Amino acid sequence: MKYIICYLFICLLFACKTAGNQDWKSADFGPFKLKAPPEWKKMKLQGFDSYVGGLTNGIDTLTFDYGWYSPEVDLDSAGIYREDTINGLVALIGITEGMTTRSAELEIFLKDEKNRFFISGKDLQDLPTVLKIFKSIYFPYSDTTINPPLVMEKFHRSSSVMQGRSLYKFNCASCHHPHKQMTGPSFAEVFKYRDKEWIYRFLTNRDSIKSDSLTIAFQKRAGSVTCIRFPELTKIELTRILGYIR
Ligand code: HEC
């Protein structure tokens, strides 16, 4: 009997929880869709080089950027952050606490290598709703069966700078210096020409990129040493390394 009551209680809880989201509407933004409460309306914004837009309920506003140059979650300025899976895609969420409001940023690592996806809201009054909207975002190749609930306890204090430092020291520092030329080029020089996406492919899947005149120049300078391949490196690890050395 005790178990039945318990079971009923869990069902009730679950029913209440889903009832709260029942009137949420699906909004189609083209490359992706999301769900939001009915009072949230789409906004059109003028994009430069990428597809930008947003949605608002008049109090809180979210804007997104989908394209090759989209921004990234800034782990250093985020107060707390976590890695997450949103409908089967790896994502990074950063939250910054203000005096009375909170700002939130989300970056979803897409399977198509040409585009990045970033959505954020500043000075939010209703963070829980915004996080639920984040969790509802899906792309044509997303898998809605893989969407674990987002629990605030799993957010880390931003010690990512330290993590970036140790990843860098362990894997890259023997050949690269942030500002000085060593066996490998300085990262300051590399960043002038390469972005994260390109560096990620260079490190994890080098055969998929054509070597250009810059790579050839770097290789000439290095003699017989070439950069190590890191097929296991994740985008989040690379984000941390770059966040530290930038
Ligand atoms: C054993 C030494 C060594 C290690 C360790 C190493 N690299 Fe390199 N790296 C090089 C050399 C040499 C080059 C230039 C020649 C080449 O492209 O292979 C290079 C080139 C690069 C380039 C520029 C490629 C281009 O053509 O623009 C990037 C970016 C880079 N490395 C990132 C990293 C990162 C990030 C790490 C650590 C996760 C790392 N490397 C670890 C030696 C190394």
Side-chain angles (χ1 to χ4, degrees), residues 171-172 175-176 190 194 198 202-203 215 218 222 225-228:
N171 297 298
C172 326
C175 301
H176 292 279
V190 171
R194 312 290 196 200
W198 190 95
F202 175 79
L203 296 173
T215 306
F218 285 155
V225 190
T226 52
C227 192
I228 311 268

Side-chain angles (χ1 to χ4, degrees), residues 197-217:
E197 238 17 76
W198 190 95
I199 296 175
Y200 185 69
R201 280 179 72 186
F202 175 79
L203 296 173
T204 56
N205 187 12
R206 196 160 308 166
D207 300 332
S208 75
I209 43 176
K210 283 199 209 118
S211 54
D212 53 18
S213 57
L214 187 66
T215 306
I216 295 165

Side-chain angles (χ1 to χ4, degrees), residues 21-121:
N21 283 5
Q22 239 164 32
D23 55 345
W24 282 38
K25 297 226 154 39
S26 178
D28 190 342
F29 286 93
F32 69 95
K33 291 183 181 151
L34 56 73
K35 288 198 176 108
E39 62 274 18
W40 285 74
K41 303 282 179 252
K42 278 191 193 175
M43 294 184 326
K44 277 201 179 136
L45 297 169
Q46 192 59 44
F48 180 74
D49 272 349
S50 60
Y51 169 43
V52 298
L55 63 161
T56 182
N57 66 352
I59 303 163
D60 288 339
T61 298
L62 296 174
T63 52
F64 66 81
D65 194 311
Y66 170 82
W68 177 244
Y69 297 106
S70 301
E72 297 164 20
V73 167
D74 183 355
L75 288 178
D76 296 342
S77 71
I80 52 173
Y81 76 95
R82 66 163 294 183
E83 296 157 23
D84 193 39
T85 304
I86 295 185
N87 293 320
L89 298 175
V90 179
L92 195 58
I93 302 173
I95 295 174
T96 318
E97 314 226 286
M99 293 291 273
T100 54
T101 55
R102 286 178 287 187
S103 300
E105 300 184 331
L106 164 73
E107 184 181 351
I108 298 182
F109 297 114
L110 302 180
K111 285 192 181 151
D112 94 71
E113 304 229 315
K114 288 200 184 67
N115 291 303
R116 290 210 293 254
F117 180 78
F118 180 83
I119 184 165
S120 67

Side-chain angles (χ1 to χ4, degrees), residues 183-201:
T183 317
S186 78
F187 283 125
E189 187 176 9
V190 171
F191 289 155
K192 272 194 231 154
Y193 308 101
R194 312 290 196 200
D195 63 11
K196 184 170 93 175
E197 238 17 76
W198 190 95
I199 296 175
Y200 185 69
R201 280 179 72 186

